[in-house]
Structures are given as structure tokens and as C-alpha cells.
Amino acid sequence: DAGVIQSPRHEVTEMGQEVTLRCKPISGHDYLFWYRQTMMRGLELLIYFNNNVPIDDSGMPEDRFSAKMPNASFSTLKIQPSEPRDSAVYFCASSPRGGISRGYTFGSGTRLTVV
Amino acid sequence: AQSVTQPDIHITVSEGASLELRCNYSYGATPYLFWYVQSPGQGLQLLLKYFSGDTLVQGIKGFEAEFKRSQSSFNLRKPSVHWSDAAEYFCAVGFTSGTYKYIFGTGTRLKVLA
């Protein structure tokens, strides 16, 4: 199993540009989570999906952020337009059915820098 | 309100010494409890978890954790630390109220002296 795969590993973009982060969860996992990690705020849950359906997006900071999961093997997190305060490491994680008790598997993250 | 507290931001221990990292939570029932480790530039790796049963749980890399209901704590321990254990450690709590999201603590950064 290749684990949770995120791309790109690093992204540097200029303020105002659109940024798309990608995630491939572990095959067979029903849940997918997007987290953001910063020094100031730690790990924050942005949104999570169950069977490709967004369940809780209360952590999405603004309308500039959007996430989709068109199928069970792919999800995107988009920021448009990007701002310097969006600079962070973005993690995707997936979990099997019954995942609340089984823990998440995290990807290696995408380090986003907005200049 | 539901919360997770890791009171120690940084901990430094000598290689071979014992280790205990603290985690406290606030919740009206017994939650699902986890410890994760994050090495620099990497994602989070699950060390161990507690759901029910024996309150002392064993995990990977020689770590263990003990759930104490009376203290609302889930402290992580290791009898003898290795230099490779230097990393950041996160306690996480999953609540049994129907949501599938965890709350993570702010993390404890462990430094190991040779």
C-alpha cells in the first residue's frame, strides 16, 4: 500500500494566484480529511468527507477555500485567490469505515508558501 | 467545551532516560484517544490508540500510554529514549458524539541529548 499520497510536496505561489492541492487516499478508506498546520494555530481540521460527500466544512476559513472529492480515489483543496496568511503545511488523511476508533493515516503534506 | 491539552511545549531528555509526555482532555464521556508522532518534514504517524479495555496500551517503537479516567489523562511513556525518538508528539481525541473528527493537542517537541 502506497499510503496517502499528496502532491505537490512544495508549492510557492504569488499572492492572488490560484492554488490546487491534491490527495489520493488509501484505497478502500471511506473518510478523507484535510488539515492545515501552522506554528500559531497547530493542526486545524478544514473539512472531511465520507464516501465522497462533504460532511463537515466548518473549519474552512473563508470562501476562498474549496474542496472537492469527485471520486473515492481523489480529492482537491483549492485556494483562490491565495494570500500570504495561507502559508502553511496542508495535510490530507484518510480512514477506513469505523475510522473514529481506528485512527487516521496521514500523507506527507504540502508545504504552501504564498509570497 | 471539548478540548485537548498538552502542557509541555518542549521536553529535553538524555538518550537512555525515561520519558513521559502529558495529555489531558475535557469531555463528558470517555473519548477515543491517540498519540501521533511527526518527524521533521513528515506527516503524522499513529503510535497507539485507546478505545476501551485495558487502560495501559502498547504501541509501536516501544511506546506505551496509560488512560486514567479520574484524571482525564492519556500520558505517553517510554522507558528508554533513543536519539531517533526526537520529533514532535501530538495527542488527539476523537469524540463519541457522532462526529468523525479529532481534536489535536498543540504538540510536544522532544529533543534527545546524546
Side-chain angles (χ1 to χ4, degrees), chain A residues 4-33:
Chain A
V4 176
I5 300 173
Q6 292 187 245
S7 64
R9 286 298 307 274
H10 302 275
E11 177 80 42
V12 180
T13 191
E14 293 185 346
M15 182 174 62
Q17 297 298 306
E18 178 179 293
V19 176
T20 299
L21 311 182
R22 298 172 176 78
C23 176
K24 177 179 170 56
I26 291 174
S27 177
H29 279 194
D30 293 340
Y31 292 89
L32 184 139
F33 306 84

Side-chain angles (χ1 to χ4, degrees), chain B:
Chain B
Q2 302 156 344
S3 65
V4 182
T5 302
Q6 291 181 249
D8 304 306
I9 298 174
H10 297 279
I11 283 186
T12 300
V13 300
S14 297
E15 190 170 19
S18 63
L19 172 70
E20 183 169 26
L21 303 182
R22 296 182 291 166
C23 174
N24 294 93
Y25 66 89
S26 174
Y27 185 54
T30 298
Y32 301 91
L33 296 160
F34 307 86
W35 276 99
Y36 285 83
V37 61
Q38 184 181 29
S39 298
Q42 300 298 313
L44 282 73
Q45 181 184 20
L46 181 63
L47 281 176
L48 47 77
K49 59 188 176 184
Y50 173 78
F51 172 43
S52 64
D54 191 345
T55 56
L56 184 64
V57 294
Q58 303 297 319
I60 63 172
K61 306 186 181 195
F63 285 91
E64 66 179 26
E66 185 172 14
F67 170 62
K68 292 186 178 180
R69 185 188 309 273
S70 61
Q71 298 177 19
S72 297
S73 68
F74 188 57
N75 293 349
L76 182 71
R77 301 195 295 245
K78 188 170 185 178
S80 177
V81 171
H82 188 263
W83 64 266
S84 61
D85 294 324
E88 189 152 21
Y89 292 79
F90 292 90
C91 179
V93 176
F95 300 103
T96 56
S97 60
T99 180
Y100 282 78
K101 58 185 181 183
Y102 299 165
I103 294 179
F104 283 83
T106 51
T108 298
R109 187 171 296 278
L110 174 65
K111 182 177 180 180
V112 180
L113 301 177

